[in-house]
Amino acid sequence: MLKIESGINLAKFTSIKIGGIAKYFYEPTNTDDFLQVLNYAKNKSIPFFVLGGGSNLLISSTGFEGLVIRTTKLTSINQLDTTHILADAGVRLPHLARFAGNLNLSGLEFSCGIPGTVGGGVIMNAGAHGSSMSELVEYINVYDFLTDSVKKMTNDQLSFAYRSCILKPGSQVVLNACLRLKQGDKNEILAKIKANEDYRWKTQPLSYPNAGSTFKNFSPTQPAGKLLDLAGVKNLTCGDASVSAIHANFVINLGKAQSSDVIDLLGKMQTSVFNKFSIKLFPEWKTLGNFGNKIDDIWG
Ligand SMILES: Cc1cc2nc3c(=O)[nH]c(=O)nc-3n(C[C@H](O)[C@H](O)[C@H](O)COP(=O)(O)OP(=O)(O)OC[C@H]3O[C@@H](n4cnc5c(N)ncnc54)[C@H](O)[C@@H]3O)c2cc1C
């Protein structure tokens, strides 16, 4: 029997600490439980949303009239052989990087400052320091909402690209992922992880709630942060939403920011870059809930 909760405030489950009330909410604790709740949503025709770490996401302060399924209690990790690890969708990437490091397995060091989950990391093809999930994924197991079935998809079927893959959020759900790592030296791996984390604390506004990079890079030589900085958006604010003084592609929540403040700020950031460079940047973030028609223009 699924114990589905109702009236849960989602703000605390996002890294930017913004969000409204979910009509229904559930946190599966194993894959069978996950499949059961997905099946329930299908049979009852309830709109659902799979929430991972909420670290690349803007949730409307007006909430969501459906079922939010949060994966972060799906935390099983299995070493399959000397180089392969099978990790549940809800495993946090920094935890997985350390877990692998302690097994003398290298490859995930880039992800230690990415506060998302394996599922979110695959969907977004999360990447940093010149590496991304696409280089590690051997296969994933996916629940397909339309056919109500589970299938295995290999790396070449996933069409990974910059911050995307072929999976459709909303109808295809990552259950777990098998990653191919390399054998390495535990001390070197853990030292690399620490260096990456230290670098982030110096270059990102990590003491404020934020959702990581706001806009996608326009091109490898024209990163969004640089264009935004040159367009002079640092310290621009709307309500309690502000562009970080440390990194122009980070929006921070100074305390009581609402999703509407963030949307207004994103509009100003986008316009500033367009006015200076005739370049339209598009957000990297996913959204959940109703934002009125303002987001259509911003997300394009
Ligand atoms: C401080 C900070 C630094 C960051 N640095 C980086 C960085 O260097 N590189 C980078 O790429 N990103 C970065 N991010 C963004 C973010 O952490 C990544 O995009 C991450 O992969 C998102 O994972 P998540 O679990 O938080 O996904 P969520 O934000 O919860 O969800 C994002 C999308 O994935 C979907 N989703 C989540 N889990 C599943 C699943 N199991 N099956 C199907 N769909 C699913 C959601 O429905 C949603 O559409 C950063 C974020 C922060 C806050």
Side-chain angles (χ1 to χ4, degrees):
M1 179 74 177
L2 295 168
K3 283 196 179 157
I4 293 179
E5 296 176 81
S6 54
I8 299 294
N9 190 332
L10 298 172
K12 61 178 177 288
F13 300 129
T14 68
S15 58
I16 198 166
K17 305 295 174 221
I18 295 173
I21 303 291
K23 187 168 183 185
Y24 304 113
F25 182 80
Y26 190 72
E27 293 181 282
T29 51
N30 58 55
T31 304
D32 286 346
D33 195 19
F34 197 9
L35 288 170
Q36 204 184 339
V37 73
L38 288 162
N39 191 261
Y40 171 86
K42 183 171 175 76
N43 289 339
K44 299 265 181 197
S45 300
I46 300 173
F48 75 94
F49 182 85
V50 176
L51 174 66
S55 65
N56 205 45
L57 188 63
L58 182 65
I59 299 181
S60 172
S61 300
T62 62
F64 176 57
E65 281 292 305
L67 167 65
V68 170
I69 304 169
R70 185 169 181 247
T71 63
T72 52
K73 290 189 176 164
L74 298 165
T75 54
S76 164
I77 309 171
N78 285 300
Q79 185 176 12
L80 302 180
D81 58 35
T82 50
T83 49
H84 290 85
I85 279 184
L86 184 69
D88 272 358
V91 175
R92 300 269 186 177
L93 292 172
H95 172 71
L96 190 60
R98 269 200 187 77
F99 184 95
N102 280 311
L103 294 172
N104 295 299
L105 289 175
S106 168
L108 275 160
E109 295 87 315
F110 76 87
S111 75
C112 60
I114 304 178
T117 58
V118 165
V122 169
I123 290 276
M124 300 305 305
N125 187 18
H129 310 289
S131 301
S132 64
M133 292 301 285
S134 59
E135 293 158 30
L136 305 180
V137 172
E138 182 103 356
Y139 65 83
I140 60 171
N141 287 303
V142 188
Y143 170 78
D144 191 319
F145 190 73
L146 300 178
T147 58
D148 196 18
S149 62
V150 176
K151 65 178 172 183
K152 185 173 175 174
M153 292 178 80
T154 53
N155 187 304
D156 56 337
Q157 294 172 311
L158 288 166
S159 301
F160 281 115
Y162 171 58
R163 299 293 171 268
S164 74
C165 74
I166 203 170
L167 298 176
K168 296 178 192 69
S171 67
Q172 290 173 302
V173 179
V174 180
L175 302 175
N176 49 41
C178 174
L179 306 180
R180 186 183 55 251
L181 304 170
K182 290 189 296 268
Q183 292 197 323
D185 174 74
K186 173 178 161 176
N187 292 332
E188 278 175 27
I189 297 165
L190 297 179
K192 183 74 186 162
I193 287 176
K194 168 126 188 15
N196 285 346
E197 282 174 344
D198 290 350
Y199 176 76
R200 291 211 173 226
W201 275 96
K202 282 189 201 127
T203 55
Q204 297 181 350
L206 301 185
S207 46
Y208 285 97
N210 69 80
S213 294
T214 311
F215 290 95
K216 291 181 189 170
N217 291 333
F218 182 68
S219 73
T221 52
Q222 289 168 301
K226 186 174 169 193
L227 296 173
L228 286 157
D229 197 2
L230 293 171
V233 304
K234 276 185 177 168
N235 293 319
L236 205 61
T237 58
C238 287
D240 257 359
S242 176
V243 180
S244 161
I246 298 174
H247 194 312
N249 200 19
F250 272 64
V251 168
I252 56 175
N253 180 355
L254 297 175
K256 294 188 175 147
Q258 300 293 298
S259 58
S260 54
D261 299 325
V262 175
I263 295 292
D264 289 346
L265 188 60
L266 261 58
K268 286 187 183 174
M269 293 164 79
Q270 195 178 47
T271 303
S272 300
V273 169
F274 189 79
N275 288 346
K276 189 160 178 81
F277 300 106
S278 298
I279 286 175
K280 186 164 180 178
L281 295 176
F282 292 101
E284 183 176 313
W285 299 347
K286 302 291 182 190
T287 61
L288 173 65
N290 188 357
F291 296 87
N293 52 14
K294 276 189 187 168
I295 70 161
D296 294 341
D297 191 42
I298 297 175
W299 262 257

